[in-house]
Amino acid sequence: MLKDIDKILAEARNFQSVSPDEIEEYRIRYLGRKGIIAALFEEFRSVPPVEKRVYGSKINELKDFVTSHVNNLRSISGSQTTDRTEKDLTLPGYPLEPGTRHPVSIVRNEIINIFSRQGFTISEGPEIEDDWHVFSALNFPEEHPARDMQDTFFIEKNPDILLRTHTSSVQVRVMEKQQPPIRTISPGRVFRNEAISARAHCIFHQIEGLYVDKNVSFADLKQILLFFARELFGEDTQIRLRPSFFPFTEPSAEMDISCKICSGKGCNVCKYTGWLEILGCGMVHPNVLENCHIDSNRFSGYAFGMGIERVAMLKYEVRDLRLYFENDIRFLKQFTPVF
Ligand code: PHE
């Protein structure tokens, strides 16, 4: 048997080829499940124990040789350019589609860009928050409905730990750490326990702004909001402010922009009013400043907040909010590619 193995090894060494088919045939002949080496291992079982060591190492030598020989032959055959005739090198390449940014990211970056040119810094904070930063410091009364289980996701049945419902919590954190002047915007993800529909989602994104300094007035707020609306929606955009209520601002307002689809004439997007609601705003309530150890006699401030998906819906005229969360490539690839 030992002699046989030597003969087989000599034959195996003799084989040379650059044809992938022949190499594969060779591999199967030796290494296949019913190949020569498998048969040798089968015979090996009946070899007397004293001779096993010698036979074993011979068969392994054969196996190792064939394995590496196949690899060598394959790499030589792969680097040969003999298949030039088979492949047409003048064919056009596979089309690679450039990636695009998500529309929510595009709009978020645009908004950040507008405010940072006006001297606003960017601040971020945790998505899992406590009651103080989301509600109490912001002057929400104990029985305010926003604290209710129906609006807020609480963590592990501990009513003190919750998912933030707005990024105003970040501004509380900034005010606690820093004395005025403060001029910052806080973009981020927020969570509300709402049924998902074309107009509402349980997760969405906000950007909120805060400016606290000496003598900050409502006129300053109007000015920055008008500037923002015109930068984002075009120079001829009009704004209007309607009185509203938020626990953390007094006075409070909601801002509408003139409908850019019908230029204020009235259409089904603006429900024939000529106006589209875009954000909430107001003068920071003195209680909020005091809660954050800022002297409300020396300082005043304004704040505003908006939903990014909502702004993106207006900007891109998308009617269903859910499209922003489904990640359907046919929807996403319609937005400006990044080069
Ligand atoms: N925090 C408010 C919201 O989530 C928005 C807002 C921010 C309103 C600042 C007024 C001032 O809806």
Side-chain angles (χ1 to χ4, degrees), residues 165-166 168 192 206 208-209 246 248-249 280-282 303-306:
T165 56
H166 52 186
S168 305
R192 289 185 197 176
Q206 274 193 331
E208 299 218 348
F246 299 100
F248 37 89
T249 46
C281 60
F304 56 86
M306 67 192 102

Side-chain angles (χ1 to χ4, degrees), residues 134 138 140 165-169 171 190 192 204 206-210 221 244-249 251-254 279-284 302-307:
V134 176
L138 288 161
F140 277 79
T165 56
H166 52 186
T167 55
S168 305
S169 52
Q171 309 184 330
V190 300
R192 289 185 197 176
F204 60 99
Q206 274 193 331
I207 293 194
E208 299 218 348
L210 173 76
L221 173 62
S244 186
F245 173 79
F246 299 100
F248 37 89
T249 46
S252 306
E254 265 163 271
L279 56 77
C281 60
M283 301 306 293
V284 182
Y302 64 64
F304 56 86
M306 67 192 102

Side-chain angles (χ1 to χ4, degrees), residues 49-256:
V50 279
E51 293 169 31
K52 271 203 151 81
R53 215 172 56 82
V54 194
Y55 281 107
S57 71
K58 272 279 169 208
I59 305 175
N60 278 327
E61 186 191 332
L62 174 66
K63 190 178 164 196
D64 291 346
F65 170 76
V66 175
T67 310
S68 70
H69 195 46
V70 166
N71 287 340
N72 289 340
L73 291 173
R74 273 184 184 161
S75 67
I76 294 165
S77 110
S79 61
Q80 301 265 327
T81 50
T82 47
D83 55 357
R84 191 171 271 199
T85 46
E86 288 160 35
K87 285 191 185 139
D88 182 355
L89 297 178
T90 65
L91 282 176
Y94 293 113
L96 281 179
E97 288 190 47
T100 59
R101 285 226 193 278
H102 194 284
V104 169
S105 300
I106 297 175
V107 171
R108 185 198 54 204
N109 292 347
E110 237 173 279
I111 299 172
I112 289 176
N113 192 289
I114 293 169
F115 285 107
S116 51
R117 279 188 275 128
Q118 297 300 305
F120 283 78
T121 60
I122 296 161
S123 38
E124 292 186 325
E127 292 177 358
I128 301 173
E129 262 292 6
D130 50 28
D131 178 277
W132 172 255
H133 291 95
V134 176
F135 297 129
S136 297
L138 288 161
N139 201 35
F140 277 79
E142 202 59 53
E143 70 288 358
H144 195 283
R147 294 178 182 231
D148 202 290
M149 292 292 264
Q150 273 135 42
D151 292 305
T152 307
F153 289 113
F154 292 91
I155 307 274
E156 287 172 6
K157 298 202 181 93
N158 177 353
D160 194 44
I161 307 294
L162 44 95
L163 296 179
R164 66 182 180 194
T165 56
H166 52 186
T167 55
S168 305
S169 52
V170 180
Q171 309 184 330
V172 173
R173 288 182 178 275
V174 172
M175 286 191 285
E176 282 174 338
K177 278 207 304 267
Q178 193 189 322
Q179 283 295 308
I182 295 168
R183 203 196 299 248
T184 191
I185 49 170
S186 21
R189 201 154 41 160
V190 300
F191 309 84
R192 289 185 197 176
N193 195 356
E194 290 194 34
I196 296 170
S197 72
R199 302 186 53 115
H201 209 287
C202 56
I203 301 177
F204 60 99
H205 299 79
Q206 274 193 331
I207 293 194
E208 299 218 348
L210 173 76
Y211 176 39
V212 185
D213 203 346
K214 288 186 181 133
N215 301 320
V216 176
S217 72
F218 203 89
D220 297 325
L221 173 62
K222 274 167 73 176
Q223 181 278 330
I224 194 83
L225 292 179
L226 180 62
F227 173 79
F228 160 71
R230 295 198 163 159
E231 287 291 299
L232 194 64
F233 292 102
E235 255 173 48
D236 50 356
T237 308
Q238 305 290 316
I239 63 166
R240 79 173 179 188
L241 292 164
R242 284 176 290 106
S244 186
F245 173 79
F246 299 100
F248 37 89
T249 46
E250 182 58 37
S252 306
E254 265 163 271
M255 183 176 100
D256 298 339

